[in-house]
Amino acid sequence: MAPVSRRQFIGGSFFGVAGLATAGLLSSCAPSAKEASRADGAPEQTLTANTGAEENPAWVDLNPQETYDENNGDVSALFTEIQVGTMTLRNRICKASAGSDTGSSRSPQLTQNTIDYYGRIADGGAALVILEEGTVGGLGMNPFRPMACNTLEEGIAEARRIVDRVHEGGAYIGSQIGIGSPIDPGDVNAYSREEIKRMVTGIGDSAVAMVKAGFDCVEIKGATTDGLNQFLTRRINRREDEYGAATEENRVRFFREIVEEICSRCGSDLNILVLINALEENDSVLGLNDGYITIDEAKFLAQTLENAGADMVQVRIGTLEQEANCWASDTMHCVTGAHGTSGNGGQFDFGVHFGGLMDGAHDGVGAFIPLASEVKSAISIPVGCASYMDPRIAPDLINNAVAAGNVDLVFMNRPLTVDPQLPNKLMEGRFDEIAPCTRCFHCHGKPYGEAEMCRVNPTTQFAYTDEFPEGYDLEPAQNPLSVMVVGGGPAGMEAASVAAERGHHVSLYEKGGSLGGLLAFADAVKGPHEHLAVLKKYLADRLDALGVEVNTNADVTAELVKEIAPDAVIVATGGMRETRFDGTTSMDDYASAEIGDRVIILGANLQATDVAQQLLAQGKHVTLINEKSDADVSAGQSYWVRKYAKAHLASHGVTTFNNATIESATSSKVVFTTAAGYKKSLEADTVIECFDMAPNNSLAKELEDAGISVYRAACDNPSNIQNAIHEGYRVSRYLN
């Protein structure tokens, strides 16, 4: 084996982090992809997004995409009032029920984090806030969760705290009730008639408690794959009684009885929202949809529920295996060059699947709008939908849908988690000031055992924890300092902005020619799905708005720091890639290298799998040789993105050798030992090294050796974008 060398990620070599960028796994201050010069003096190069059509004319996307980010500046339709039952909503933007990970459903008390999390969304201008069912479940507001309080009266008093807080922000508030969950929906066929009647009564009891706590509405969940939905779908409901699947009336009876129970006991004191599947699709065996909910069945259900007393309908879809598809159809677009991926390695044809009614041409944005429009045609009450209804990214598309009457209410979760002030900023025309959701899905994995966090908003899931015990808001600097930030990638830009926002005097130094690190390069390799170019611009605009002095093409040394003599130095210089073999294509050179048709990638981390996706879209044949386990393939991606990526690679002919021992590699051959102990030799046209990142703390150490005090931001633990931004925020939050 050739001697190990290290190519560093500080300074001007954007090629040195090509692999890191391909997966969006950026070290904290990697230089710009488009404009930085290489450390060896090679000329600047630009990589443009390419899903393969240019290089491989035979490659055709099954679901061609259209532009969806037009913005003519008019979002007035989103800010018109609408009547929903007895509620007069101030605009059309609603917080959808979804896990916030801010408290425990088994606690007799709400956390301050929970109250502030939803209160801040109300302050930000949302018209309606819907709590996920677990938020107040332990307080007696959900009949299917054990009450943690000593008495229901105590639970009602506790729930009123969050009700009052949301009302103070000017929004209405409701809470969701569902039966079971997508992970554990229960067995519709096992319930006795008596159990069904008790469930109806129990939901009525909870509705009465909600009224006493001051809630404005309740949302009954009959969507996705939960228990109530199972009564509605013939593929599951095998009952032979009046709740069975023999007739439409029987299938909807349970749902109708729930709505009627709430109406009879609460009257106009509690508005009733219902969440349903507009249709279902078999994502396990595409096209085999016998027994799945059709749009006509959904219309009948909506009509029945309206007649029973429902005040609003929200539509989703139902799929058999990939639960995220049900509420976040943009997961179907997260694989490069494979719009419509099913998550099982197959690919939907949006012109055929989902009854041809899903909008599959806008990268998942507004995908459910046609379904909402269909349901609206059958009823007179308002209809809303979610599924990445983000007006920061697609203002014209979403505003025009509301203006045209295709959908009445815009439900969202992730964009409001990233920036609770989204509605206010949108209404005031401050589009560029809205922190963008980049659809990384790191905020949705807890039910599957993953930690949850937000890539762009470091306080989400961390306020009032040991990480940020003071809560969400930044405190002004007690003693304003002159702060020097070294590194212009995500960590450095975030650190500089937070320090300046707190009142410090900040200057930022970047060795490359522009800011953003590898965000532009990552955007080019991954394509526009994650809006990394938007994120780069947002981070740069913040620096400008906060008056941060930006210095590019600046090579920082201990001598320069001593000359400037700042009060504090934050080093955010990223990581470095380990290369082991001579003759291979390093990730330093990936962007400019000529890649052959047969490619072997050494490594299977998320950078490697993103590179593999891009090469597949170009018609290449790819093999991954992974020294780690299968669990580490695409590690660093969120649960859902990793799930889709792995299935796509496997189904498109990518062979992965896990737990392999790599013995040698050249430009055209790799020799390795498999997990079973067999020695193999594989030939290729191109061999790419994409091993994991190593810490790049050489500058920090140089400064410390020179007696300069240093704050390190992500240099010791190079990871991904959210880690870089989180670390930059953390360092500056406590800088005094």
Side-chain angles (χ1 to χ4, degrees):
M1 181 178 7
V4 172
S5 65
R6 292 185 181 273
R7 296 185 173 101
Q8 296 194 3
F9 277 69
I10 56 174
S13 175
F14 84 80
F15 294 104
V17 289
L20 191 63
T22 56
L25 185 66
L26 305 185
S27 56
S28 53
C29 66
S32 166
K34 286 191 173 181
E35 300 169 84
S37 298
R38 293 182 56 181
D40 59 9
E44 299 175 354
Q45 299 191 29
T46 299
L47 182 71
T48 57
N50 179 4
T51 53
E54 295 85 359
E55 294 186 14
N56 181 11
W59 180 87
V60 178
D61 193 339
L62 184 61
N63 299 291
Q65 298 297 290
E66 301 172 357
T67 301
Y68 59 87
D69 60 353
E70 295 95 340
N71 180 12
N72 67 14
D74 179 13
V75 289
S76 58
L78 293 175
F79 292 95
T80 56
E81 291 184 349
I82 185 171
Q83 197 71 26
V84 179
T86 63
M87 302 182 294
T88 304
L89 304 190
R90 57 186 172 185
N91 59 55
R92 307 302 182 94
I93 298 175
C94 307
K95 165 67 173 68
S97 169
S100 64
D101 196 22
T102 59
S104 171
S105 63
R106 297 178 295 276
S107 173
Q109 293 181 319
L110 297 172
T111 67
Q112 190 61 45
N113 190 8
T114 298
I115 295 171
D116 282 357
Y117 174 81
Y118 289 104
R120 284 160 54 86
I121 290 173
D123 295 342
L128 174 64
V129 172
I130 306 295
L131 309 181
E132 71 270 20
E133 52 188 326
T135 302
V136 291
L139 309 182
M141 306 295 121
N142 190 316
F144 308 111
R145 292 181 181 270
M147 189 172 70
C149 296
N150 293 321
T151 66
L152 180 57
E153 288 70 25
E154 290 181 8
I156 290 171
E158 184 67 13
R160 186 172 285 279
R161 295 176 60 209
I162 194 168
V163 169
D164 290 345
R165 176 64 182 87
V166 170
H167 283 165
E168 288 173 7
Y172 290 97
I173 183 171
S175 184
Q176 187 182 87
I177 295 178
I179 300 172
S181 72
I183 299 174
D184 184 17
D187 184 359
V188 57
N189 300 300
Y191 295 125
S192 67
R193 290 186 179 89
E194 291 71 23
E195 286 175 313
I196 292 174
K197 297 300 183 184
R198 285 198 297 270
M199 285 191 283
V200 170
T201 301
I203 292 175
D205 293 341
S206 293
V208 170
M210 287 184 186
V211 172
K212 293 179 179 179
F215 283 94
D216 304 294
C217 59
V218 60
E219 180 181 77
I220 306 301
K221 184 182 181 185
T224 63
T225 57
D226 295 18
L228 182 54
N229 167 259
Q230 293 195 357
F231 282 84
L232 305 171
T233 179
R234 290 167 288 122
R235 67 185 174 89
I236 295 175
N237 190 340
R238 298 289 182 265
R239 300 179 67 96
E240 297 181 353
D241 60 6
E242 67 270 30
Y243 297 99
T247 68
E248 286 187 301
E249 290 80 2
N250 284 355
R251 288 195 299 276
V252 305
R253 189 181 307 277
F254 185 19
F255 208 154
R256 174 177 59 77
E257 289 179 350
I258 290 171
V259 174
E260 290 174 342
E261 177 79 4
I262 297 171
C263 280
S264 67
R265 298 179 63 180
C266 300
S268 60
D269 292 333
L270 192 68
N271 297 286
I272 303 173
L273 319 182
V274 293
L275 179 60
I276 69 172
N277 289 342
L279 52 77
E280 295 180 334
E281 181 70 44
N282 188 341
D283 62 343
S284 179
V285 183
L286 299 185
L288 188 61
N289 287 340
D290 186 32
Y292 283 62
I293 291 173
T294 67
I295 188 66
D296 288 335
E297 291 173 342
K299 288 180 179 180
F300 178 83
L301 172 62
Q303 290 170 341
T304 301
L305 298 178
E306 178 182 16
N307 292 335
D311 297 295
M312 189 277 291
V313 175
Q314 184 191 161
V315 299
R316 292 186 179 178
I317 61 171
T319 50
L320 181 65
E321 293 191 358
Q322 310 305 325
E323 193 263 334
N325 285 350
C326 299
W327 46 269
S329 63
D330 46 309
T331 51
M332 304 178 196
H333 299 260
C334 68
V335 174
T336 303
H339 293 282
T341 180
S342 70
N344 298 298
Q347 192 172 2
F348 294 115
D349 181 343
F350 289 115
V352 176
H353 297 119
F354 299 102
L357 292 173
M358 282 266 285
D359 180 354
H362 296 121
D363 202 25
V365 178
F368 298 166
I369 291 175
L371 303 176
S373 182
E374 279 290 317
V375 173
K376 268 180 62 67
S377 70
I379 59 178
S380 61
I381 55 178
V383 177
C385 68
S387 190
Y388 206 67
M389 295 283 284
D390 187 354
R392 194 258 195 251
I393 297 299
D396 286 5
L397 188 153
I398 295 174
N399 186 76
N400 292 345
V402 173
N406 295 322
V407 65
D408 298 308
L409 296 168
V410 175
F411 281 85
M412 64 180 74
N413 181 62
R414 288 169 286 163
L416 292 174
T417 297
V418 177
D419 194 339
Q421 286 287 326
L422 181 150
N424 286 342
K425 293 178 181 178
L426 194 70
M427 181 173 60
E428 295 165 6
R430 298 155 54 202
F431 289 86
D432 291 343
E433 295 180 34
I434 301 172
C437 171
T438 60
R439 304 202 279 194
C440 63
F441 278 96
H442 280 282
C443 57
H444 285 290
K446 188 176 182 180
Y448 304 92
E450 297 229 332
E452 295 183 341
M453 64 188 298
C454 176
R455 174 186 276 176
V456 181
N457 185 344
T459 62
T460 301
Q461 278 95 29
F462 289 94
Y464 296 107
T465 68
D466 291 342
E467 187 90 358
F468 306 132
E470 305 85 5
Y472 287 93
D473 296 329
L474 292 171
E475 296 181 356
Q478 298 174 5
N479 178 32
L481 307 173
S482 62
V483 179
M484 180 180 189
V485 178
V486 185
M493 296 172 82
E494 180 73 8
S497 291
V498 172
E501 187 174 347
R502 294 186 57 228
H504 295 299
H505 307 286
V506 185
S507 57
L508 185 149
Y509 291 76
E510 162 59 39
K511 188 173 184 178
S514 66
L515 297 177
L518 269 291
L519 285 173
F521 184 77
D523 180 70
V525 174
K526 293 174 70 67
H529 179 75
E530 295 184 17
H531 311 300
L532 296 181
V534 176
L535 175 60
K536 174 188 172 183
K537 183 178 185 303
Y538 166 75
L539 293 172
D541 286 349
R542 281 179 69 202
L543 294 174
D544 183 59
L546 291 165
V548 174
E549 176 192 327
V550 174
N551 303 275
T552 56
N553 297 309
D555 190 2
V556 175
T557 63
E559 289 73 18
L560 178 63
V561 175
K562 288 182 177 180
E563 178 183 340
I564 296 173
D567 297 318
V569 180
I570 298 173
V571 176
T573 48
M576 56 187 180
R577 177 86 55 190
E578 183 180 70
T579 59
R580 303 181 187 175
F581 307 103
D582 292 331
T584 60
T585 298
S586 72
M587 291 310 298
D588 293 38
D589 300 319
Y590 169 69
S592 58
E594 182 176 344
I595 308 297
D597 290 333
R598 298 173 304 160
V599 182
I600 295 175
I601 299 176
L602 306 183
N605 49 39
L606 62 91
Q607 305 102 296
T609 54
D610 267 7
V611 170
Q613 288 176 28
Q614 186 191 42
L615 295 176
L616 279 179
Q618 296 172 357
K620 313 291 187 183
H621 182 275
V622 182
T623 299
L624 299 174
I625 301 180
N626 176 30
E627 295 179 320
K628 297 183 178 181
S629 69
D630 178 69
D632 294 299
V633 175
S634 199
Q637 300 276 31
S638 64
Y639 170 86
W640 288 111
V641 173
R642 187 168 66 250
K643 185 176 181 65
Y644 283 74
K646 291 178 67 173
H648 174 75
L649 294 177
S651 66
H652 285 75
V654 173
T655 300
T656 302
F657 293 93
N658 295 314
N659 300 115
T661 302
I662 302 171
E663 299 180 11
S664 65
T666 67
S667 61
S668 59
K669 185 170 71 173
V670 178
V671 178
F672 63 100
T673 303
T674 69
Y678 295 101
K679 188 170 184 177
K680 294 183 69 70
S681 177
L682 293 183
E683 294 186 352
D685 300 311
T686 306
V687 177
I688 300 172
E689 290 195 50
C690 191
F691 296 112
D692 292 347
M693 297 292 294
N696 178 28
N697 47 30
S698 58
L699 178 61
K701 189 175 185 303
E702 176 189 345
L703 298 180
E704 289 167 346
D705 289 346
I708 300 169
S709 179
V710 168
Y711 297 87
R712 302 188 186 197
C715 300
D716 293 328
N717 183 31
S719 182
N720 48 26
I721 297 173
Q722 63 265 28
N723 180 72
I725 292 177
H726 187 92
E727 285 298 297
Y729 177 92
R730 180 191 57 80
V731 166
S732 287
R733 179 177 175 122
Y734 295 111
L735 183 65
N736 281 306

